[in-house]
mmCIF file of all heavy atoms in Angstrom:
data_model
loop_
_atom_site.group_PDB
_atom_site.id
_atom_site.type_symbol
_atom_site.label_atom_id
_atom_site.label_comp_id
_atom_site.label_asym_id
_atom_site.label_seq_id
_atom_site.Cartn_x
_atom_site.Cartn_y
_atom_site.Cartn_z
ATOM 1 N N PHE A 128 -6.644 -0.302 8.765
ATOM 2 C CA PHE A 128 -7.635 -0.886 7.862
ATOM 3 C C PHE A 128 -7.648 -0.175 6.509
ATOM 4 O O PHE A 128 -7.775 -0.830 5.468
ATOM 5 C CB PHE A 128 -9.041 -0.851 8.482
ATOM 6 C CG PHE A 128 -10.065 -1.476 7.584
ATOM 7 C CD1 PHE A 128 -10.168 -2.853 7.491
ATOM 8 C CD2 PHE A 128 -10.901 -0.697 6.800
ATOM 9 C CE1 PHE A 128 -11.095 -3.445 6.643
ATOM 10 C CE2 PHE A 128 -11.834 -1.274 5.958
ATOM 11 C CZ PHE A 128 -11.932 -2.651 5.878
ATOM 12 N N ALA A 129 -7.482 1.140 6.488
ATOM 13 C CA ALA A 129 -7.527 1.882 5.229
ATOM 14 C C ALA A 129 -6.413 1.439 4.277
ATOM 15 O O ALA A 129 -6.634 1.323 3.068
ATOM 16 C CB ALA A 129 -7.438 3.377 5.490
ATOM 17 N N ILE A 130 -5.220 1.172 4.810
ATOM 18 C CA ILE A 130 -4.115 0.721 3.949
ATOM 19 C C ILE A 130 -4.405 -0.683 3.428
ATOM 20 O O ILE A 130 -4.174 -0.987 2.257
ATOM 21 C CB ILE A 130 -2.771 0.788 4.702
ATOM 22 C CG1 ILE A 130 -2.380 2.253 4.887
ATOM 23 C CG2 ILE A 130 -1.676 0.025 3.953
ATOM 24 C CD1 ILE A 130 -1.087 2.473 5.630
ATOM 25 N N ASP A 131 -4.922 -1.539 4.275
ATOM 26 C CA ASP A 131 -5.299 -2.884 3.850
ATOM 27 C C ASP A 131 -6.353 -2.803 2.747
ATOM 28 O O ASP A 131 -6.264 -3.489 1.724
ATOM 29 C CB ASP A 131 -5.821 -3.673 5.047
ATOM 30 C CG ASP A 131 -6.153 -5.109 4.699
ATOM 31 O OD1 ASP A 131 -5.396 -5.736 3.932
ATOM 32 O OD2 ASP A 131 -7.175 -5.607 5.203
ATOM 33 N N TYR A 132 -7.334 -1.956 2.938
ATOM 34 C CA TYR A 132 -8.416 -1.774 1.968
ATOM 35 C C TYR A 132 -7.871 -1.286 0.628
ATOM 36 O O TYR A 132 -8.205 -1.818 -0.427
ATOM 37 C CB TYR A 132 -9.437 -0.798 2.547
ATOM 38 C CG TYR A 132 -10.669 -0.596 1.717
ATOM 39 C CD1 TYR A 132 -11.676 -1.559 1.698
ATOM 40 C CD2 TYR A 132 -10.848 0.553 0.967
ATOM 41 C CE1 TYR A 132 -12.825 -1.379 0.944
ATOM 42 C CE2 TYR A 132 -11.984 0.743 0.214
ATOM 43 C CZ TYR A 132 -12.974 -0.225 0.194
ATOM 44 O OH TYR A 132 -14.098 -0.048 -0.556
ATOM 45 N N LEU A 133 -6.996 -0.279 0.668
ATOM 46 C CA LEU A 133 -6.416 0.252 -0.567
ATOM 47 C C LEU A 133 -5.534 -0.790 -1.250
ATOM 48 O O LEU A 133 -5.514 -0.889 -2.481
ATOM 49 C CB LEU A 133 -5.612 1.520 -0.269
ATOM 50 C CG LEU A 133 -6.433 2.722 0.178
ATOM 51 C CD1 LEU A 133 -5.528 3.845 0.661
ATOM 52 C CD2 LEU A 133 -7.354 3.202 -0.935
ATOM 53 N N GLY A 134 -4.804 -1.560 -0.459
ATOM 54 C CA GLY A 134 -3.979 -2.620 -1.025
ATOM 55 C C GLY A 134 -4.811 -3.686 -1.717
ATOM 56 O O GLY A 134 -4.456 -4.183 -2.792
ATOM 57 N N GLN A 135 -5.936 -4.043 -1.110
ATOM 58 C CA GLN A 135 -6.832 -5.026 -1.719
ATOM 59 C C GLN A 135 -7.426 -4.483 -3.024
ATOM 60 O O GLN A 135 -7.585 -5.230 -3.993
ATOM 61 C CB GLN A 135 -7.970 -5.390 -0.760
ATOM 62 C CG GLN A 135 -7.550 -6.151 0.454
ATOM 63 C CD GLN A 135 -7.343 -7.623 0.188
ATOM 64 O OE1 GLN A 135 -7.647 -8.134 -0.883
ATOM 65 N NE2 GLN A 135 -6.807 -8.308 1.162
ATOM 66 N N LEU A 136 -7.762 -3.204 -3.050
ATOM 67 C CA LEU A 136 -8.352 -2.600 -4.244
ATOM 68 C C LEU A 136 -7.346 -2.428 -5.383
ATOM 69 O O LEU A 136 -7.742 -2.356 -6.544
ATOM 70 C CB LEU A 136 -8.922 -1.215 -3.907
ATOM 71 C CG LEU A 136 -10.293 -1.148 -3.285
ATOM 72 C CD1 LEU A 136 -10.641 0.293 -2.949
ATOM 73 C CD2 LEU A 136 -11.354 -1.747 -4.194
ATOM 74 N N SER A 137 -6.087 -2.358 -5.058
ATOM 75 C CA SER A 137 -5.059 -2.066 -6.057
ATOM 76 C C SER A 137 -5.068 -3.079 -7.201
ATOM 77 O O SER A 137 -5.209 -4.278 -6.990
ATOM 78 C CB SER A 137 -3.672 -2.062 -5.401
ATOM 79 O OG SER A 137 -2.677 -1.906 -6.387
ATOM 80 N N ARG A 138 -4.890 -2.577 -8.402
ATOM 81 C CA ARG A 138 -4.854 -3.409 -9.607
ATOM 82 C C ARG A 138 -3.434 -3.891 -9.910
ATOM 83 O O ARG A 138 -3.169 -4.422 -10.980
ATOM 84 C CB ARG A 138 -5.375 -2.616 -10.808
ATOM 85 C CG ARG A 138 -6.732 -1.956 -10.610
ATOM 86 C CD ARG A 138 -7.881 -2.863 -10.300
ATOM 87 N NE ARG A 138 -8.093 -3.810 -11.387
ATOM 88 C CZ ARG A 138 -8.702 -4.976 -11.243
ATOM 89 N NH1 ARG A 138 -9.159 -5.342 -10.076
ATOM 90 N NH2 ARG A 138 -8.846 -5.770 -12.258
ATOM 91 N N ALA A 139 -2.499 -3.704 -8.981
ATOM 92 C CA ALA A 139 -1.099 -4.092 -9.184
ATOM 93 C C ALA A 139 -0.986 -5.584 -9.488
ATOM 94 O O ALA A 139 -1.738 -6.401 -8.955
ATOM 95 C CB ALA A 139 -0.267 -3.745 -7.957
ATOM 96 N N GLU A 140 -0.006 -5.927 -10.326
ATOM 97 C CA GLU A 140 0.178 -7.311 -10.734
ATOM 98 C C GLU A 140 0.898 -8.151 -9.676
ATOM 99 O O GLU A 140 0.687 -9.357 -9.607
ATOM 100 C CB GLU A 140 0.953 -7.368 -12.053
ATOM 101 C CG GLU A 140 0.192 -6.770 -13.214
ATOM 102 C CD GLU A 140 0.976 -6.785 -14.511
ATOM 103 O OE1 GLU A 140 2.131 -7.270 -14.529
ATOM 104 O OE2 GLU A 140 0.429 -6.307 -15.514
ATOM 105 N N PHE A 141 1.775 -7.532 -8.882
ATOM 106 C CA PHE A 141 2.550 -8.273 -7.881
ATOM 107 C C PHE A 141 2.648 -7.419 -6.628
ATOM 108 O O PHE A 141 3.166 -6.310 -6.674
ATOM 109 C CB PHE A 141 3.947 -8.588 -8.437
ATOM 110 C CG PHE A 141 4.710 -9.589 -7.631
ATOM 111 C CD1 PHE A 141 4.295 -10.910 -7.552
ATOM 112 C CD2 PHE A 141 5.853 -9.224 -6.956
ATOM 113 C CE1 PHE A 141 5.007 -11.841 -6.820
ATOM 114 C CE2 PHE A 141 6.576 -10.147 -6.213
ATOM 115 C CZ PHE A 141 6.153 -11.462 -6.144
ATOM 116 N N LYS A 142 2.131 -7.952 -5.508
ATOM 117 C CA LYS A 142 2.057 -7.186 -4.263
ATOM 118 C C LYS A 142 3.007 -7.782 -3.228
ATOM 119 O O LYS A 142 3.013 -8.996 -3.022
ATOM 120 C CB LYS A 142 0.634 -7.180 -3.716
ATOM 121 C CG LYS A 142 -0.370 -6.537 -4.671
ATOM 122 C CD LYS A 142 -1.778 -6.633 -4.149
ATOM 123 C CE LYS A 142 -2.775 -6.053 -5.142
ATOM 124 N NZ LYS A 142 -4.150 -6.093 -4.631
ATOM 125 N N VAL A 143 3.789 -6.904 -2.579
ATOM 126 C CA VAL A 143 4.809 -7.324 -1.619
ATOM 127 C C VAL A 143 4.598 -6.580 -0.311
ATOM 128 O O VAL A 143 4.319 -5.373 -0.312
ATOM 129 C CB VAL A 143 6.221 -6.998 -2.146
ATOM 130 C CG1 VAL A 143 7.287 -7.491 -1.193
ATOM 131 C CG2 VAL A 143 6.432 -7.555 -3.530
ATOM 132 N N GLY A 144 4.758 -7.281 0.818
ATOM 133 C CA GLY A 144 4.640 -6.631 2.110
ATOM 134 C C GLY A 144 5.026 -7.558 3.242
ATOM 135 O O GLY A 144 5.515 -8.671 3.023
ATOM 136 N N LYS A 145 4.799 -7.100 4.448
ATOM 137 C CA LYS A 145 5.178 -7.825 5.658
ATOM 138 C C LYS A 145 4.196 -8.954 5.941
ATOM 139 O O LYS A 145 2.982 -8.757 5.916
ATOM 140 C CB LYS A 145 5.218 -6.864 6.847
ATOM 141 C CG LYS A 145 5.676 -7.511 8.129
ATOM 142 C CD LYS A 145 5.712 -6.514 9.258
ATOM 143 C CE LYS A 145 6.064 -7.242 10.540
ATOM 144 N NZ LYS A 145 5.828 -6.442 11.706
ATOM 145 N N ALA A 146 4.722 -10.133 6.231
ATOM 146 C CA ALA A 146 3.892 -11.292 6.568
ATOM 147 C C ALA A 146 3.180 -11.061 7.893
ATOM 148 O O ALA A 146 3.678 -10.366 8.766
ATOM 149 C CB ALA A 146 4.754 -12.548 6.655
ATOM 150 N N GLY A 147 2.011 -11.653 8.008
ATOM 151 C CA GLY A 147 1.268 -11.592 9.256
ATOM 152 C C GLY A 147 0.301 -10.437 9.354
ATOM 153 O O GLY A 147 -0.486 -10.372 10.289
ATOM 154 N N LEU A 148 0.315 -9.518 8.401
ATOM 155 C CA LEU A 148 -0.628 -8.402 8.456
ATOM 156 C C LEU A 148 -1.916 -8.761 7.724
ATOM 157 O O LEU A 148 -2.996 -8.669 8.267
ATOM 158 C CB LEU A 148 0.007 -7.133 7.873
ATOM 159 C CG LEU A 148 1.220 -6.601 8.626
ATOM 160 C CD1 LEU A 148 1.792 -5.385 7.922
ATOM 161 C CD2 LEU A 148 0.871 -6.261 10.055
ATOM 162 N N ASP A 149 -1.800 -9.122 6.459
ATOM 163 C CA ASP A 149 -2.940 -9.584 5.681
ATOM 164 C C ASP A 149 -2.405 -10.534 4.619
ATOM 165 O O ASP A 149 -1.993 -10.100 3.554
ATOM 166 C CB ASP A 149 -3.686 -8.421 5.039
ATOM 167 C CG ASP A 149 -4.906 -8.888 4.251
ATOM 168 O OD1 ASP A 149 -5.125 -10.101 4.153
ATOM 169 O OD2 ASP A 149 -5.633 -8.039 3.734
ATOM 170 N N ASN A 150 -2.400 -11.803 4.929
ATOM 171 C CA ASN A 150 -1.793 -12.773 4.030
ATOM 172 C C ASN A 150 -2.558 -12.938 2.723
ATOM 173 O O ASN A 150 -2.001 -13.430 1.752
ATOM 174 C CB ASN A 150 -1.647 -14.115 4.741
ATOM 175 C CG ASN A 150 -0.682 -14.023 5.906
ATOM 176 O OD1 ASN A 150 0.126 -13.098 5.989
ATOM 177 N ND2 ASN A 150 -0.770 -14.968 6.811
ATOM 178 N N ASP A 151 -3.814 -12.524 2.666
ATOM 179 C CA ASP A 151 -4.571 -12.586 1.418
ATOM 180 C C ASP A 151 -4.167 -11.472 0.464
ATOM 181 O O ASP A 151 -4.366 -11.579 -0.737
ATOM 182 C CB ASP A 151 -6.072 -12.477 1.689
ATOM 183 C CG ASP A 151 -6.609 -13.679 2.446
ATOM 184 O OD1 ASP A 151 -5.978 -14.755 2.360
ATOM 185 O OD2 ASP A 151 -7.635 -13.531 3.116
#
Side-chain angles (χ1 to χ4, degrees):
F128 181 78
I130 289 179
D131 183 40
Y132 185 77
L133 292 171
Q135 292 280 352
L136 278 176
S137 174
R138 308 300 299 157
E140 294 178 0
F141 193 67
K142 299 176 183 182
V143 183
K145 183 179 175 193
L148 297 178
D149 182 357
N150 295 341
D151 293 336

